[in-house]
Amino acid sequence: MDHKKPHLLIGLLALVIPGAGHILQGRKQQGVAILAGVPALIGLGLWQQTPLVFVGAAAVWLWSVWDIYRSLNEKPSGTVLPFLAGMMAVYAAAVAATDFQPAKLISGFSSIKPVLSALAKPDILAYPTQDKIGAAPVMVPCIDPLPRPDVQGSRRTVILTDSACAAVGETIRIKGVGFIPNFEGELWWRNPISALQRLTKNGRPQSFKTDEKGEFTADIKIPLAVPLNAMPAPGRTQTHQIEARQHKPYGSLQPTETLRLVVAKMGETLALAFLATVLATIFAIPIGFLAARNLMGGNKITLAVYYLTRTVLNIIRSIETLIWAIIFGVWVGLGPFAGTLALLFHSIAALGKLYSEAVESVDPRPVEAVRATGANPFQVVIFGVIPQITATFLSFTLYRWDINVRMATVIGLVCDAGIGFLVIQWIRLGSYNAMATTIIAITLVIAVLDYGSAVVRKRIIEGIPVGRGKKFSRRAMRAAGAICFVVLFIASWRAADINLDAFVRDAGNGVRLARELLTPEILDRPTELRSTDAELWTPAKSCSSKNAATTGVGPRIRLSQSCADVGDALTITGEELPPQSRVYIRWLFPDGGELRVKENCCDTDADGRVRLSTRVHPLADSKNYNGRPVRVSIQWHEAVGGLKLSPAVIKTGELALITLLMALLATTLGSLIAIPVSFLAARNIVGAGPLGSALYYATRTVFNLWRSIEPMILALIFATWVGLGPFAGILALTLNNIPNLGKLFSEAIEEIDMGQVEALTATGANRLQVIRYAVVPQLIPKFTAFILYQWDINIRMSTVIGFVGGGGIGQQWRVWVQLNQYAAAAVATWAIVAMVWIMDYASSKMRVKLV
Amino acid sequence: MLTVEKLTKVFPGGTAALKDVSFSIRQGEFMAVIGLSGSGKSTLLRCINRLINPTSGRILWDNTDVTAAKGAELRRIRRHIGMIFQQFNLVKQSSVSTNVLSGRLGYVNPWLSLCGYFPAEDRARALRALEHVGIPEKIQERADMLSGGQQQRVAIARALMQEPQLILADEPVASLDPVLAHSIMQYLEELNRKDGITILCSLHFLDLVHRYATRVIGLKAGEVVFEGLPGELTRERFKEVYGEEAEMATLGKPLD
Ligand SMILES: Nc1ncnc2c1ncn2[C@@H]1O[C@H](COP(=O)(O)OP(=O)(O)O)[C@@H](O)[C@H]1O
Ligand SMILES: [Mg+2]
């Protein structure tokens, strides 16, 4: 019992400082987790003002005290409850911070409906049509006298109305002459600002059918075609038009203009990806060797080169291609060339890293064997190293080509390159069918390429030569391949609009931009606007006081005279102002108006003096202000207080947190949905029966197609649906995660060791028990690893998903760049780099621990 | 106690793995099943606790028809029949204690067990079972951290948790080296002698058969081709039954 007192102390300490009790008891890990976790949760709660977060934090805190109490009786309690409480708090904060409102999916549905229905009918093929359009003006409403209409009716295809005017809701009869005989047409109404609407009859769109002479008659009810507030004033009228339209298809189906554009831009997209991949490979090979530890570890200098290369590669890699696209867009101008450079830049870094890893994993024994034969270093590389890495390099390059095609399709969302540009353009124009066509095209192309490159990569790794047959035909194929390659390369070079001239000419520009984007504005000295002013009376004769000056010490202003007439010369002098800084000299009018005395003026000299000669402004006449004088003021910014964190840092910090939470919510939702679905895509679960196979193939196909829809495009769609912001980003990421995780999960399920299942079945356990004790333990580590991996990817993606309205740090980054606030953008740039690095590191550590 | 009557198993692909196999085991016997690879040993053992459903024939367990049992009744039968596998079949990602405790799944409240709860007496029993096989200190370790021999002992402990009357052992030592093989076989022998647990064990090694079994049946292409005492199965008889070129390893020194 003599131990009780320190225990009591420990308990009290735990009550005051969360986690301190655990640390004192020697349970360091738990203690530190509580010590860090509780304040972090309270911080989240204060930030988002969500009561539930505080509840969670309190629960963890109280639990820690309770746990100390329990440990007195040597009964440790489980850590599941506090963990759940903590997670609950985090999720509550995440929901609040990311504006997570599922109800918006319903309330915003009307704005996405046209897009979704357009997806069902893409704009691919159409018959060419012979068009006949007739129009006739109608004045609404009738007035007396009726003015002439602003427009005239059509000439050859005529519409005659039985009345030149009518009021809304009245019916007039029209007769059409000169239309295509025996064919249907539609009736439209064009309002004074040329907006078209379909005329309706009994709630249905109104049509007509001509007789064999090409004539028809119809009764038309005058629609309400202008908003009530734009209706003509009483006694006025407006010119509307009736239009009758016939589109008669003829000939055979033709690809639409949309399809032609899509194909052309898709070609450009593939060209960019191809060019970037080829060039990146060329650059990345030497870099890969420079970044390989086993080659460069020899002496200090090479080791330094190794570290330098690695660091630069890592920085470039952690900044997403789309960010590079914006940077290069500023550098060489928006267009395919900027897109190519962005793809190229990011690819060099990514490939360089992969290549270096391949070089590092070279087996030293065969190299040694080659050296033992007396080969020179060159021969050693050619015969010992190259054969070991060729296949891996090739496969990485193909993998990169895959990624580049995906990236090239969305790079157009931020710069005018590739097919993504069409998507953006058409969504702005509201051409949803065309946009849908583009999205479907992108998805299909990616799905096909994905599949193709997976097959080829598998063959490369397994060493199966491409192309079978005799030596001769293989050689011929190789030659053909080489020619194709050269032709493709030249074509791509053209398509990519390569302009090395601009690149070099604007290099200074680019370097400056890069430097500005990497030089963050972390600290900031807050300033206040100070001013001093003097009165000026006009006209001079109604004025008594002759010299006007603020006297004494400190900043002051002096006017050459305090009474003057409009147009008189006036000298304004300022003294003891902050030396060598910008001041603003303004007229202050008694009615509250202000006017700069002179543009781009003025700077004080080393003694803090400024002098400006001007003339009295016409607006300064006191007559205009009931005899009150105008004032002349000098204003300047003066630093107050010490250095503070700049607003950009605070904003960035908040957005970085929101970005992490976005990724967290998306990963969670994606996993929750993917887990049950993945069982349908696992062969060993659905069985080999016809129903099982059908289910399996259906799920797999859906997964594969769905995976090919780029998250950026999903973000674009959801931004239209639920509005710009983090919630749209979360939905896009979630939807993208479901098939990706589903695929990984189902593969893990297929790898379940059935022996373990069998062994537990043999003990007499029921089905649920078998799942709980033999299946779940096998899946948990793998699933967790996949989920962490996905979270990692989500954080990367959520740094760019904001470019199209998905919220998070990316959205702010782009805004800052567009406003030329590069110092602020630089803060965000580094935040992105840091986030990606930390997550990369943490999740790889955690994954190693799990598997 | 266990009677197998005209047991036949034809797999969906058309392989007839067992053809009219009949035999019976008395309480307390240590019966070995021998046969070349693919002769149907595993299929036979799996049919007995219905991990595989036989095509026809009957299996009687203390006068209950195993072949007709379903659902809860089948699980009640299974919980009295322990099984040991060549690849141990432990849940590798779970702790040793969870693996051993899972031998009680047929007994405990199923809902509580889903939350990971086992009664205190079962936890105590698990420790005793591990003591029995000589590795109580490993109780908190992850199963895949153990060596092969240790894993097989955990598997035996798991079977012991079932309070089995019969243990089916499918080549329990085929993945272990000779010394470990003997130690595992000795545990089985001890269970058989001391606790009176009946054992049906398929074996790959002729000298293990001679050393531990009290009775032997031989399978060849799914049919019983030999039934008798281990002593009757000399090397000559073995060659007679399985043909000249067939060989069955003795520990350390292969036949021939
Ligand atoms: N699940 C199965 N499906 C189809 N055939 C099987 C299956 N399991 C075993 N077989 C076949 O049944 C025969 C007997 O196999 P098995 O009982 O494993 O033999 P043993 O254990 O004696 O090596 C073999 O021909 C094997 O190929
Ligand atoms: Mg077998």
Side-chain angles (χ1 to χ4, degrees), chain A residues 515-647:
Chain A
R515 203 183 53 224
E516 283 180 357
L517 275 176
L518 293 176
T519 321
E521 161 199 71
I522 293 177
L523 295 175
D524 190 27
R525 193 184 277 270
T527 56
E528 247 171 37
L529 196 63
R530 298 280 168 81
S531 69
T532 173
D533 55 59
E535 289 176 349
L536 180 73
W537 299 82
T538 47
K541 56 180 184 292
S542 68
C543 164
S544 50
S545 119
K546 275 288 171 193
N547 65 5
T550 40
T551 48
V553 290
R556 57 185 182 270
I557 182 171
R558 209 178 61 226
L559 303 181
S560 53
Q561 68 257 44
S562 64
C563 300
D565 287 319
V566 167
D568 284 357
L570 180 74
T571 307
I572 305 161
T573 316
E575 281 167 355
E576 293 191 44
L577 297 165
Q580 270 158 354
S581 50
R582 163 105 339 169
V583 297
Y584 311 94
I585 303 178
R586 290 189 171 94
W587 298 105
L588 302 182
F589 304 115
D591 64 352
E594 294 188 3
L595 194 70
R596 284 266 183 98
V597 173
K598 191 181 164 211
E599 283 304 313
N600 287 325
C601 173
C602 306
D603 292 306
T604 53
D605 63 15
D607 301 328
R609 284 166 59 96
V610 67
R611 176 185 288 267
L612 176 65
S613 297
T614 180
R615 288 181 182 282
V616 176
H617 198 272
L619 282 176
D621 195 340
S622 299
K623 268 200 320 246
N624 302 339
Y625 314 106
N626 299 326
R628 279 180 292 159
V630 297
R631 309 171 86 82
V632 181
S633 97
I634 300 184
Q635 300 176 333
W636 67 97
H637 286 284
E638 194 164 295
V640 289
L643 290 174
K644 290 225 179 81
L645 277 185
S646 73

Side-chain angles (χ1 to χ4, degrees), chain A residues 748-818:
Chain A
I749 296 171
E750 285 178 349
E751 282 165 13
I752 286 179
D753 177 1
M754 290 311 280
Q756 305 178 9
V757 175
E758 211 172 35
L760 284 201
T761 313
T763 67
N766 70 28
R767 195 173 283 247
L768 281 178
Q769 286 173 321
V770 171
I771 292 179
R772 162 71 176 78
Y773 283 94
V775 179
V776 172
Q778 291 190 51
L779 295 182
I780 282 181
K782 284 190 183 168
F783 277 24
T784 318
F786 290 144
I787 291 173
L788 279 173
Y789 173 67
Q790 188 68 49
W791 193 33
D792 206 12
I793 297 180
N794 281 350
I795 287 180
R796 285 167 180 275
M797 288 201 293
S798 49
T799 60
V800 290
I801 218 155
F803 290 1
V804 289
I809 200 164
Q811 195 163 334
Q812 188 64 52
W813 188 88
R814 197 171 184 203
V815 168
W816 275 330
V817 170
Q818 276 171 350

Side-chain angles (χ1 to χ4, degrees), chain A residues 334-349:
Chain A
L334 296 179
F337 184 41
T340 314
L341 283 175
L343 289 174
L344 175 62
F345 214 54
H346 197 262
S347 300
I348 290 175

Side-chain angles (χ1 to χ4, degrees), chain B residues 187-212:
Chain B
Y187 280 118
L188 291 179
E189 185 178 38
E190 192 188 319
L191 294 176
N192 178 246
R193 297 260 170 85
K194 280 208 192 130
D195 305 319
I197 299 175
T198 313
I199 291 187
L200 180 60
C201 177
S202 68
L203 284 172
H204 219 85
F205 296 118
L206 203 48
D207 75 333
L208 289 179
V209 176
H210 288 144
R211 165 88 172 67
Y212 297 101

Side-chain angles (χ1 to χ4, degrees), chain A residues 755-756 758 761 769 772-773, chain B residues 46 89-90 105 113-114 118:
Chain A
Q756 305 178 9
E758 211 172 35
T761 313
Q769 286 173 321
R772 162 71 176 78
Y773 283 94
Chain B
R46 281 173 160 74
N89 293 9
L90 295 184
L105 286 175
S113 75
L114 291 184
F118 285 93

Side-chain angles (χ1 to χ4, degrees), chain A residues 185-241:
Chain A
E186 300 162 351
L187 291 173
W188 292 75
W189 188 268
R190 191 186 285 278
N191 77 5
I193 58 164
S194 262
L196 268 177
Q197 77 185 60
R198 185 85 186 262
L199 283 166
T200 56
K201 190 173 197 178
N202 306 326
R204 298 244 188 81
Q206 197 174 358
S207 307
F208 64 85
K209 189 162 193 302
T210 50
D211 57 19
E212 66 276 7
K213 286 184 289 177
E215 297 178 3
F216 72 92
T217 55
D219 289 330
I220 284 171
K221 207 172 136 199
I222 310 297
L224 182 64
V226 288
L228 287 174
N229 58 7
M231 294 286 271
R236 300 277 181 89
T237 186
Q238 289 173 323
T239 310
H240 293 245
Q241 287 178 78

